[in-house]
Amino acid sequence: MDRHIIHLHIPSFPIAVARAKHPELRDRPVAVAPPHSERALILSVSAEARQEGVFKGMPLVKAMKFCPGLTVLPLDHDLTAKACRVLAGVVARYTPLWEPSQPGHIYLDVTGTNRLWGKAKDAANRLRQEIKEEVRLSGTVGVASNKMVSSIASRVIQREGILDVDHGREPSFMAPLKVNVLPGIGPVRRRILLE
């Protein structure tokens, strides 16, 4: 039996959760960083802030120079944990075989659930819609035969949607991608692989 793994990816999860609670933060450059520290590093960045040159791990002082209109939020552990619990409740309806890899990233094994949910891509679409309606969070979904390919598929999509990598098509999907999409590939290993 072919395996079907869904990877749900909600980019910049703490910011997405804050935007669900405070809609006025939408379409503005937003970052999450520890408050009251001059040497604080950015923990999460919105797409709008990324376009201004702000990135995760950047010192907050430098980020404010790159993007003077940056809205800086403290990390709200309680709100993020609550959103994770609600998200887990929605995901658990589809399969008992699911695991979070980090907040906003969840793997689901929907192998053998065709009679319940239809094809894996249909289940993924339904899951994404339910999360959008119930939790007010949107993201991307990758469907593949293993966790690595489904995770990469969910990250290479530029906008909200689903990318289904058919069984046996994994090599042709992976071949044109840059080597740094693989997990665990840092600058040193990337240079070695490219040489």
Side-chain angles (χ1 to χ4, degrees):
M1 178 181 291
D2 291 335
R3 293 190 68 200
H4 298 284
I5 307 296
I6 295 173
H7 182 254
L8 171 68
H9 174 209
I10 300 173
S12 308
F13 188 68
I15 295 172
V17 171
R19 284 177 167 174
K21 188 175 181 182
H22 304 285
E24 67 274 10
L25 294 173
R26 291 189 177 129
D27 301 322
R28 296 177 56 191
V30 180
V32 173
H36 314 299
S37 174
E38 292 180 14
R39 296 176 12 178
L41 298 179
I42 302 288
L43 302 173
S44 186
V45 180
S46 69
E48 296 83 7
R50 210 172 294 117
Q51 290 174 348
E52 298 288 329
V54 179
F55 56 87
K56 184 177 175 182
M58 176 184 257
L60 181 57
V61 174
K62 189 175 180 182
M64 295 301 286
K65 288 178 184 173
F66 271 74
C67 182
L70 185 67
T71 302
V72 181
L73 304 173
L75 183 60
D76 189 339
H77 293 286
D78 294 335
L79 184 62
T80 304
K82 182 179 178 184
C84 285
R85 284 192 301 273
V86 173
L87 202 56
V90 174
V91 166
R93 293 181 210 152
Y94 285 82
T95 178
L97 300 174
W98 63 274
E99 69 174 298
S101 61
Q102 57 182 301
H105 297 260
I106 299 176
Y107 293 101
L108 295 85
D109 187 342
V110 293
T111 305
T113 63
N114 290 4
R115 293 179 82 173
L116 287 171
W117 309 114
K119 293 181 180 178
K121 184 176 181 177
D122 297 336
N125 190 42
R126 188 173 177 168
L127 171 68
R128 193 176 60 79
Q129 287 299 101
E130 279 188 34
I131 289 170
K132 193 170 187 176
E133 291 167 8
E134 293 181 32
V135 193
R136 295 183 307 185
L137 296 174
S138 59
T140 58
V141 180
V143 181
S145 61
N146 62 59
K147 288 166 70 173
M148 183 184 77
V149 177
S150 66
S151 173
I152 292 170
S154 71
R155 287 185 287 130
V156 299
I157 304 173
Q158 295 301 316
R159 56 188 169 80
E160 182 182 328
I162 296 172
L163 180 56
D164 185 9
V165 180
D166 292 327
H167 289 273
R169 304 258 177 173
E170 296 89 355
S172 60
F173 165 70
M174 298 289 290
L177 300 176
K178 293 183 179 179
V179 72
N180 58 344
V181 300
L182 294 171
I185 303 295
V188 174
R189 187 168 300 258
R190 181 175 60 228
R191 188 170 20 91
I192 291 169
L193 289 171
L194 290 174
E195 289 173 0

